[in-house]
């Protein structure tokens, strides 16, 4: 049966765009505060607020300022923040052992935030790059980021993060088998409620540059991450990655970066029908901000439109450095 969709002039599609109320009534997708996860950068020290040069208006803050830094996000009802540590150089080494220190920066931050804001979800990044002196997400054996040796380190890192009270662990390392290995270790330790949000389809992207400035992993990075992060040319492979992570126990999956990979968000969401998140990464943030600073784009409209695009593609939620600003814009 073919459906008669109407014909001009009896049917005029512009009628449904006639006024604001009609447009709201027929809107197919909506962005809400509940869709947002705010990534934040933390540093050691006291009274420190250090701007990230390549990310206008983004600052790394020390723990004494963290509760105040997060207050707006918590009060606006943003469901989750994702923590990223800028580890001091003297605590980095080839094996990234600081990642397993129960008292490392990110674990202290998690404890502090859970105490201060018990209902705010804390997302812990699981990967070694903030802790390795070579900037890779895993340990290196004979010039190669070694998969299985890295898994052992990721398990230790995951356990101390779960212990510190993180609600969601987000492995961003792209090692094979990490979701299953981490899930088994968490379960064995009794952390059966700790959720896993897998960076399932994470691409070897140029758009992470500003993030690497923020956590200080960029200058030290030797080579690139192409032996573990995905080739930007591929989409079928993203579905395989997601299928593996789901089979291994991922509760939620993520596509990253965002705007250049909306096709992946759509395919993953349609194929699997699981909570699919998308990371509007640092380079996307910086592109919008650079254009805004030069007066080329309307700030609020560009931000909200970029985020709505993720919802339209099928995302359940978005990690975005604009989270607080977007939430404020939606409230007003
Ligand atoms: C590290 C990690 C990266 C990001 C999140 N976790 C960078 C990388 O893989 O080099 C990027 C986030 C961003 O660019 O905003 N495992």
């Amino acid at each position: 049966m073919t459906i008669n969709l109407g014909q001009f002039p009896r049917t005029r599609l512009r009628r449904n765009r006639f006024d604001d109320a009609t447009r709201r009534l027929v809107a197919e997708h909506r962005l809400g505060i509940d869709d947002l996860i705010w990534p934040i950068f933390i540093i050691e020290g006291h009274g420190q607020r250090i701007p990230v040069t390549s990310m206008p208006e983004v600052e790394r803050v020390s723990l004494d300022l963290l509760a105040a830094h997060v207050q707006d996000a918590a009060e606006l009802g943003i469901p989750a923040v994702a923590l990223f540590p800028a580890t001091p150089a003297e605590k980095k080494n080839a094996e990234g052992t600081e990642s397993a220190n129960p008292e490392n920066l990110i674990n202290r931050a998690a404890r502090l935030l859970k105490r201060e804001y018990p209902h705010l979800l804390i997302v812990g990044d699981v990967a070694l790059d903030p802790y390795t002196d070579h900037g890779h997400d895993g340990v290196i054996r004979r010039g190669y980021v070694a998969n299985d040796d890295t898994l052992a380190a990721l398990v230790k890192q995951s356990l101390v993060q779960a212990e510190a009270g993180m609600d969601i662990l987000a492995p961003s390392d792209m090692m094979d088998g990490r979701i299953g290995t981490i899930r088994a270790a968490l379960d064995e330790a009794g952390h059966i409620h700790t959720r896993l949000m897998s960076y399932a389809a994470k691409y070897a992207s140029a758009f992470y540059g500003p993030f690497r400035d923020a956590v200080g992993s960029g200058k030290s990075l030797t080579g690139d991450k192409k032996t573990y992060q995905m080739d930007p040319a591929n989409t079928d492979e993203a579905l395989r990655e997601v299928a593996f992570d789901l089979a291994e126990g991922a509760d939620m999956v993520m596509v990253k970066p965002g705007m250049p990979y909306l096709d992946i968000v759509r395919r993953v969401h349609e194929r699997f029908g699981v909570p699919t998140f998308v990371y509007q990464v640092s380079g996307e943030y910086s592109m919008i901000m650079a254009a805004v600073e030069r007066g080329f784009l309307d700030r609020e409209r560009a931000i909200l439109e970029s985020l709505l695009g993720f919802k339209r593609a099928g995302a359940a939620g978005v990690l975005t450095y604009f989270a607080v600003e977007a939430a404020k814009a939606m409230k007003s």
Side-chain angles (χ1 to χ4, degrees):
M1 192 181 81
T2 55
I3 303 166
N4 183 352
L5 292 168
Q7 236 175 17
F8 179 81
R10 184 170 297 172
T11 298
R12 290 176 182 270
L13 294 180
R14 290 182 56 193
R15 275 189 209 115
N16 281 347
R17 304 177 198 136
F18 186 71
D19 53 20
D20 184 60
T22 310
R23 288 191 295 268
R24 282 189 283 125
L25 205 55
V26 302
E28 297 173 45
H29 297 279
R30 227 177 284 283
L31 177 74
I33 293 176
D34 292 340
D35 299 320
L36 301 172
I37 299 176
W38 189 36
I40 51 184
F41 299 112
I42 47 182
I43 46 172
E44 295 283 3
H46 224 77
Q48 301 289 312
R49 278 189 172 279
I50 305 191
V52 182
T53 317
S54 52
M55 298 179 76
E57 299 181 27
V58 171
E59 293 176 325
R60 292 162 287 198
V61 303
S62 54
L63 296 192
D64 56 316
L65 304 177
L66 186 59
H69 187 61
V70 169
Q71 187 177 0
D72 276 0
E75 284 173 1
L76 284 159
I78 290 175
V81 296
L83 300 178
F84 294 98
T87 308
E90 65 272 15
K91 291 195 176 161
K92 296 189 184 188
N93 57 31
E95 301 289 301
T97 48
E98 177 67 5
S99 61
N101 176 1
E103 293 304 318
N104 69 16
L105 187 55
I106 201 176
N107 289 324
R108 277 180 281 137
R111 282 198 201 91
L112 183 154
L113 288 177
K114 284 316 286 184
R115 210 163 42 233
E116 206 74 33
Y117 307 108
H119 300 295
L120 181 68
L121 299 175
I122 309 298
V123 183
D125 190 67
V126 176
L128 298 186
D129 56 312
Y131 312 97
T132 51
D133 52 16
H134 45 71
H136 279 288
D137 292 36
V139 297
I140 298 179
R141 305 283 180 257
R142 288 196 228 125
Y144 183 72
V145 174
N147 197 86
D148 301 11
D149 284 1
T150 299
L151 292 185
L154 296 175
V155 161
K156 287 187 199 152
Q157 181 181 23
S158 299
L159 288 172
V160 294
Q161 291 192 3
E163 209 55 58
M166 304 223 191
D167 304 279
I168 302 177
L169 298 187
S172 68
D173 54 283
M174 289 299 279
M175 297 302 115
D176 285 326
R178 85 261 210 233
I179 296 299
T181 309
I182 291 170
R183 181 76 268 163
L186 289 173
D187 286 357
E188 198 180 324
H191 297 297
I192 61 164
H193 302 299
T194 306
R195 282 127 275 175
L196 287 181
M197 176 187 282
S198 147
Y199 285 69
K202 175 171 177 178
Y203 287 85
S205 171
F207 290 91
Y208 308 148
F211 172 97
R212 293 178 190 169
D213 289 343
V215 302
S217 67
K219 274 199 289 297
S220 52
L221 182 65
T222 43
D224 55 48
K225 300 190 176 184
K226 290 181 186 171
T227 72
Y228 46 105
Q229 298 181 348
M230 281 182 56
D231 183 343
N234 296 350
T235 83
D236 288 339
E237 189 188 3
L239 301 184
R240 285 186 90 187
E241 283 284 0
V242 170
F244 265 74
D245 286 359
L246 290 171
E248 291 175 31
D251 302 289
M252 316 168 212
V253 297
M254 194 201 301
V255 173
K256 175 185 176 187
M259 200 131 81
Y261 296 87
L262 288 174
D263 57 324
I264 311 298
V265 177
R266 157 124 334 260
R267 282 195 81 190
V268 167
H269 171 69
E270 280 188 350
R271 170 74 67 94
F272 299 103
V274 298
T276 304
F277 288 79
V278 57
Y279 201 142
Q280 182 179 53
V281 299
S282 55
E284 299 174 65
Y285 172 87
S286 300
M287 276 198 306
I288 292 176
M289 287 301 284
V292 163
E293 283 185 339
R294 297 186 66 181
F296 295 162
L297 290 176
D298 177 291
R299 178 171 180 144
E300 184 176 316
R301 289 185 56 208
I303 292 170
L304 292 178
E305 185 177 328
S306 71
L307 297 174
L308 182 59
F310 297 126
K311 294 293 292 181
R312 200 180 59 241
V318 191
L319 290 94
T320 173
Y321 301 96
F322 290 121
V324 173
E325 179 166 0
K328 284 182 179 163
M330 286 187 267
K331 270 245 148 96
S332 63

